[in-house]
Amino acid sequence: MTHRLAFIGFGVVGQGFADILAKKEETLREKYNFDFQIVAISDMKLGSVYDPEGLDMTKIFEMIENGQSLSEYPDAETGWEPIETIEETNSDIIVEVTFTDMETGGPALDHVRTALKEGKNVISTNKGPVAQKITELQRLAEENNVEYKFEGTVLSGTPAVNLALKNLAGCEINKFKGIVNGTTNYILSKMEEGMDYEEALQKAQKLGYAEADPTGDVEGIDAQGKTLILANTVMDADIDLNEVEREGITELTLDDVQKAKDEGKRWKLISKAEVEDDAIEAKVGPEKIPLDHPLAGVMGPTNALTYTTDHLGDVTIIGPGAGKEETGYALLVDLLSIVD
Amino acid sequence: MTHRLAFIGFGVVGQGFADILAKKEETLREKYNFDFQIVAISDMKLGSVYDPEGLDMTKIFEMIENGQSLSEYPDAETGWEPIETIEETNSDIIVEVTFTDMETGGPALDHVRTALKEGKNVISTNKGPVAQKITELQRLAEENNVEYKFEGTVLSGTPAVNLALKNLAGCEINKFKGIVNGTTNYILSKMEEGMDYEEALQKAQKLGYAEADPTGDVEGIDAQGKTLILANTVMDADIDLNEVEREGITELTLDDVQKAKDEGKRWKLISKAEVEDDAIEAKVGPEKIPLDHPLAGVMGPTNALTYTTDHLGDVTIIGPGAGKEETGYALLVDLLSIVD
C-alpha cells in the first residue's frame, strides 16, 4: 500500500524530513517496503496545497526557494486550514510540525486530537501536545487503532524515547538523569574554555544553536518541557509542567566554572526525575558532575540520558540533541515503526 | 492467546530468564497483554521434561536445587532430545540458550534452523548461530513468517542490536566502535589502579567476571565473535570469523598502562568495523583512547558501542555487558518485541 502523508507546518524540521524522504525514497521502498506520496502541506506562512494524487516535491521546494506561496501550485486544492487538511484529505499519516506551545499545547494539540479521532497516524516533533495531554492522546490513538509517535521531542533523532518505551520494555525505569538541552551545554563547554557567559551565548547564537531570544534555553524552560515529557511517557508520571522544578544557567559565573574545574568537576544543566514511595520528583537545574561520570564527557551540542532500571542498572544513550536533519530523522524512524 | 515456551538449554541464562518471567508474570499480562506457559525444558545436564498444559516452575526450581533430574518430574513426557522438543511439543516460542560454539555454530545452529522451519519464533543469547549463519537464518524466519531475535548476543540486555536495527532504522551505519567484552575491560581498569595483569585476572576470576580458562576473553575471541555479529547484522557485511582481525590484551604490561596514563590516554580492547569503498574492515585489538573520548570513561564490566550514522552522526549506548539477570532480560525484551 502507498502511504499518504499530510504535513501540518512546513518549517525547518518539516523541510528537513521531506529532504530525507526525497533522498531515501528508493532505499525506503526496497529495504523497508515503504511506498509514499506527500499529498498535502498546510503552513501558516507558506500557504497550503492538496493534491490527492501526490505533490511534486521538487516543484514545492522550487516555489519555496523563489518565495512563492504554495497556494499558487497549479491544478490543486489550495488555501485549506490545518483542520480541514487533516479531516478532508486522503492522507493516512499526519506529520505535525507546527510551532511548540508548552503552556497550553497550542493549536498543535487540536491537530493531533483531530487526526487521531479521524483514525490517522500522527508523527510529530511538537513538544506541546505530548507535554500537556499525553495520557488523553495515547488513549485516543488506542481507541482509533492508530499510533502517535514523538521521538523527536527529546534529543532530536537520538532514540531516547523509543529506547525507553521499546528496547527497555519489561524493565522498570525508576530514575532518569541527563543533558537534554544542547544550547546550554554548548555555552557551558565554551565557558570552561574561558569565555564568559555573554560571549559564549553570542557564539551559540552565531552558530544557530541559540535563538535571538535565548530565554527558553538558558532559563531551562526547554529542558523543563523535555523532562516533563520523559517523566510522563517513560515513567507514567502524569504530572504538570509546574511540578517540574526549574533553574537555568544564567546565574553561573566564569568563576563558578573555574572552581568546579579545580574540584575535578564540571557544571552541566541536568534534567532528572526519580520515583520514590510512589511519588515522583522531577527537576531541571545546574549540577557539578564529577569528571569520571559518563555525563561529564558530553560536550557541546551533544545530549545524553541515563535510565536507571531494575534488570540492567544504568543504560546511557548519547547523541545529537538538535538540528534540521537530526530532528527530521526522528520523523523517519517514527514513520518506519508505524508501517513496520 | 497464551504463548507456550520451550527452553533448549537451562543453564545460568535460561534460569535467569525463567526467574524474571516468574517475578513479572502479572506485569507482563497487565502491561503487555502477554500470557505464557513454559511447556518444555531440554537440558543436556539437567534432563528434559514436557507437559503440554504447562510446567510448575516452582517445582522445577526445587528439583534443580535438590539435584534431581528433570526426568523425575511426575506425570510428564521426559527424556526428549532438543530436536524432538522443538518439533513435537505444542510450543510456539523456542528459547535457545545452549552453549556457544563460535567456530561451527554447534548444535544450537540445528536447533534454531529446526525451530524456524517448524514455524516457531526463536529468542536466543547464543552467539554461534548468529555469527555463522545469520543470512540463512533470517531468510528462514521470513519464509516461515516467524522471528529470530538475539539481542543478548552482544552487550547482554543493553539494547545494542535492537538500537541499530530498530531505532536507527532508515540510517546508514557505516562504522561502529566499542567495548564489547567486560572481562578485559575490568582487567584493564584494575591495571590502571596499579595491579599487574595476573593479579587483575585472578580478581576477575574471583568475582565471576572471568572463567577458569580465560583464553576466550583475554585473547579477544569473545569480542571477535561479537564484532562479527554486529558487522553481519547491523552492517549487512556477510563476512566470516577469520575476516575479523584479532589481538588480545595479554601482551599489555603495567608499564604500557602507566605510559598511556601519562599521555592522557587509556588502553581499551576496542571492537570496530568500517565500510570503505564497499569493502568492510573489522578488527579487535587494544587501542589507546584519549580520556575525553566517550569510550574512555567506560570502566569495569560496563560495555559501550558507538554507531556512526549518516543522519545522526555518532550515537553511543552504554550499559552492562554481562550477567545472569542482564542477559536473561535480553530474552524478555526479544520476547516482548515478538508478541507486541
Side-chain angles (χ1 to χ4, degrees):
Chain A
M1 117 180 224
T2 300
H3 290 277
R4 296 193 177 86
L5 277 58
F7 280 71
I8 308 301
F10 203 61
V12 172
V13 171
Q15 292 182 32
F17 177 43
D19 262 348
I20 294 176
L21 285 176
K23 271 185 211 146
K24 291 235 162 145
E25 193 169 353
E26 222 179 287
T27 315
L28 293 173
R29 190 179 304 119
E30 283 167 14
K31 193 163 171 190
Y32 300 97
N33 201 17
F34 173 68
D35 254 313
F36 71 94
Q37 291 174 331
I38 296 172
V39 294
I41 297 170
S42 178
D43 184 87
M44 221 168 55
K45 287 184 196 156
L46 299 171
S48 78
V49 56
Y50 167 47
D51 182 340
E53 304 295 318
L55 299 167
D56 175 351
M57 291 304 290
T58 312
K59 186 165 181 60
I60 293 282
F61 277 112
E62 268 172 28
M63 291 175 74
I64 293 172
E65 188 108 338
N66 298 333
Q68 278 182 279
S69 164
L70 297 182
S71 304
E72 293 170 35
Y73 188 97
D75 304 323
E77 301 280 351
T78 56
W80 289 17
E81 294 295 312
I83 296 293
E84 194 177 6
T85 303
I86 294 165
E87 288 179 340
E88 305 296 333
T89 60
N90 64 350
S91 56
D92 62 307
I93 297 174
I94 302 297
V95 186
E96 214 297 338
V97 283
T98 63
F99 66 95
T100 286
D101 177 339
M102 286 298 300
E103 295 294 330
T104 68
L109 182 53
D110 273 339
H111 303 160
V112 177
R113 260 195 201 123
T114 306
L116 297 174
K117 280 183 190 162
E118 286 287 321
K120 299 188 178 193
N121 295 291
V122 176
I123 56 178
S124 178
T125 57
N126 198 316
K127 292 190 277 290
V130 195
Q132 282 296 326
K133 295 285 174 190
I134 183 61
T135 313
E136 177 203 328
L137 297 173
Q138 279 178 328
R139 189 179 43 74
L140 264 182
E142 207 167 309
E143 281 171 11
N144 292 283
N145 208 17
V146 289
E147 295 200 52
Y148 173 40
K149 302 280 288 176
F150 44 82
E151 177 62 76
T153 56
V154 183
L155 266 66
S156 73
T158 304
V161 176
N162 290 331
L163 177 75
L165 296 182
K166 289 287 172 187
N167 303 8
L168 298 176
C171 274
E172 298 267 328
I173 297 177
N174 34 49
K175 186 175 160 183
F176 70 79
K177 179 170 178 170
I179 298 166
V180 302
N181 179 274
T183 311
T184 47
N185 204 48
Y186 177 83
I187 292 173
L188 292 173
S189 294
K190 287 291 141 187
M191 285 174 77
E192 202 171 298
E193 291 171 19
M195 279 188 200
D196 66 21
Y197 172 79
E198 280 304 327
E199 198 186 346
L201 172 60
Q202 277 164 27
K203 179 132 196 190
Q205 285 169 324
K206 249 187 212 159
L207 287 168
Y209 295 151
E211 294 177 51
D213 175 2
T215 318
D217 289 317
V218 299
E219 294 293 359
I221 300 168
D222 171 76
Q224 185 189 30
K226 290 168 178 169
T227 306
L228 177 68
I229 289 172
L230 287 169
N232 282 352
T233 57
V234 167
M235 298 169 88
D236 296 327
D238 203 13
I239 54 174
D240 295 328
L241 194 61
N242 58 24
E243 291 174 79
V244 181
E245 266 186 70
R246 175 176 60 82
E247 191 188 332
I249 63 159
T250 50
E251 307 284 310
L252 280 181
T253 64
L254 208 49
D255 193 45
D256 293 329
V257 171
Q258 194 53 54
K259 266 187 198 153
K261 207 172 169 180
D262 297 343
E263 294 168 23
K265 291 182 178 170
R266 185 173 273 162
W267 285 100
K268 294 288 181 191
L269 185 67
I270 295 294
S271 292
K272 61 184 182 184
E274 187 165 4
V275 180
E276 251 178 292
D277 304 327
D278 276 341
I280 190 155
E281 205 174 312
K283 191 177 171 180
V284 172
E287 273 186 36
K288 278 188 283 187
I289 303 289
L291 286 181
D292 59 359
H293 188 284
L295 294 178
V298 176
M299 303 300 279
T302 302
N303 282 187
L305 263 172
T306 300
Y307 294 110
T308 302
T309 71
D310 54 351
H311 296 308
L312 296 176
D314 283 359
V315 175
T316 300
I317 187 153
I318 305 173
K324 175 185 174 181
E325 184 177 353
E326 291 83 350
T327 311
Y329 169 72
L331 294 163
L332 179 64
V333 79
D334 279 348
L335 187 65
L336 291 177
S337 81
I338 288 177
V339 302
D340 188 17
Chain B
M1 115 180 228
T2 300
H3 290 277
R4 295 192 178 85
L5 277 58
F7 280 71
I8 308 302
F10 203 61
V12 172
V13 171
Q15 291 182 32
F17 178 42
D19 263 348
I20 294 176
L21 286 175
K23 272 184 211 146
K24 290 232 163 148
E25 192 169 353
E26 222 179 288
T27 315
L28 294 173
R29 189 179 305 118
E30 283 168 12
K31 192 161 171 190
Y32 300 97
N33 200 19
F34 174 67
D35 255 313
F36 71 95
Q37 290 173 332
I38 297 173
V39 294
I41 297 170
S42 178
D43 184 88
M44 222 168 54
K45 288 184 196 157
L46 300 172
S48 77
V49 57
Y50 167 47
D51 182 341
E53 305 294 320
L55 299 167
D56 175 351
M57 291 304 292
T58 311
K59 183 160 185 61
I60 293 282
F61 276 111
E62 267 172 28
M63 292 175 73
I64 293 173
E65 189 108 337
N66 298 334
Q68 277 182 279
S69 165
L70 297 182
S71 303
E72 293 170 36
Y73 188 98
D75 304 322
E77 300 281 349
T78 56
W80 289 18
E81 295 296 311
I83 296 292
E84 195 177 4
T85 303
I86 293 164
E87 288 178 338
E88 304 297 332
T89 60
N90 65 350
S91 56
D92 63 308
I93 297 174
I94 302 297
V95 186
E96 214 296 338
V97 283
T98 63
F99 67 96
T100 285
D101 178 338
M102 286 297 301
E103 295 295 329
T104 68
L109 183 52
D110 274 338
H111 303 160
V112 177
R113 262 196 200 120
T114 305
L116 297 174
K117 281 182 189 163
E118 286 287 322
K120 300 188 178 192
N121 296 292
V122 176
I123 57 179
S124 178
T125 56
N126 197 315
K127 292 189 277 291
V130 195
Q132 282 296 324
K133 296 286 175 190
I134 183 62
T135 313
E136 177 203 325
L137 297 172
Q138 278 179 328
R139 189 179 44 73
L140 264 182
E142 207 167 310
E143 282 171 11
N144 292 284
N145 208 17
V146 289
E147 295 198 54
Y148 173 38
K149 302 280 288 176
F150 43 83
E151 179 61 76
T153 56
V154 183
L155 267 66
S156 72
T158 305
V161 176
N162 290 330
L163 176 75
L165 296 181
K166 289 286 171 189
N167 303 7
L168 297 176
C171 273
E172 298 268 326
I173 297 176
N174 34 49
K175 187 176 159 183
F176 69 79
K177 180 170 178 171
I179 298 165
V180 301
N181 180 273
T183 311
T184 48
N185 203 49
Y186 177 82
I187 292 173
L188 292 173
S189 295
K190 286 291 140 189
M191 285 174 78
E192 203 172 298
E193 292 171 18
M195 278 188 199
D196 66 20
Y197 172 79
E198 279 306 326
E199 197 185 346
L201 172 59
Q202 278 164 24
K203 178 131 197 190
Q205 285 168 324
K206 248 188 215 158
L207 287 167
Y209 295 152
E211 294 177 51
D213 175 2
T215 318
D217 289 316
V218 298
E219 294 294 358
I221 300 167
D222 170 76
Q224 186 189 30
K226 290 169 177 168
T227 306
L228 177 69
I229 289 172
L230 287 169
N232 282 351
T233 56
V234 166
M235 298 168 89
D236 296 327
D238 202 13
I239 55 175
D240 294 329
L241 194 60
N242 57 25
E243 291 173 79
V244 181
E245 268 185 71
R246 174 176 59 82
E247 192 189 332
I249 62 159
T250 51
E251 307 285 309
L252 280 181
T253 63
L254 209 49
D255 194 43
D256 293 329
V257 171
Q258 194 53 54
K259 267 186 197 152
K261 208 173 171 180
D262 297 342
E263 294 167 25
K265 291 180 178 170
R266 186 173 272 162
W267 284 101
K268 293 288 181 191
L269 185 67
I270 296 294
S271 292
K272 61 184 183 185
E274 186 164 5
V275 179
E276 252 179 290
D277 305 328
D278 275 342
I280 190 154
E281 207 174 310
K283 193 178 169 179
V284 172
E287 272 185 39
K288 280 187 282 188
I289 304 289
L291 286 181
D292 59 0
H293 189 285
L295 293 178
V298 177
M299 302 302 278
T302 302
N303 282 188
L305 263 172
T306 300
Y307 294 110
T308 302
T309 71
D310 54 349
H311 296 308
L312 296 177
D314 283 359
V315 175
T316 300
I317 185 149
I318 305 172
K324 174 184 174 180
E325 184 177 353
E326 291 82 349
T327 311
Y329 168 73
L331 293 163
L332 178 65
V333 79
D334 279 348
L335 187 66
L336 290 177
S337 81
I338 287 177
V339 302
D340 188 15

